[in-house]
Amino acid sequence: MAMNEKTVEILNDLVQINHDRVRGYEKAAEETNSDDADLRALFTDFANESRGYAAELSELVKNLGGEPATDS
């Protein structure tokens, strides 16, 4: 059981990192000049990818019987 707990802890660290990434990319998109739509779209895509990674990792945590991290 200790192995699952350690795995859940590591996975939750990765979930938190991805939550941080989402916030960072969203902030970057917000602060990008409106005339640079391509860059803004890129940051938005990166944020969406990070949300997806966090969701996948959270599912793994649940499968191991853990509670997924919700904060960053």
Side-chain angles (χ1 to χ4, degrees), residues 6 44-45:
K6 186 63 176 171
T44 301
D45 288 344

Side-chain angles (χ1 to χ4, degrees), residues 42-64:
L42 186 64
F43 287 139
T44 301
D45 288 344
F46 288 159
N48 289 333
E49 283 182 5
S50 293
R51 277 189 202 89
Y53 298 147
E56 289 179 35
L57 291 164
S58 293
E59 193 61 35
L60 291 173
V61 170
K62 289 178 190 176
N63 290 341
L64 291 171

Side-chain angles (χ1 to χ4, degrees), residues 10-23:
I10 292 168
L11 289 171
N12 270 329
D13 286 345
L14 294 171
V15 170
Q16 290 174 324
I17 289 168
N18 277 281
H19 288 308
D20 286 342
R21 289 171 45 124
V22 168
R23 288 186 182 144

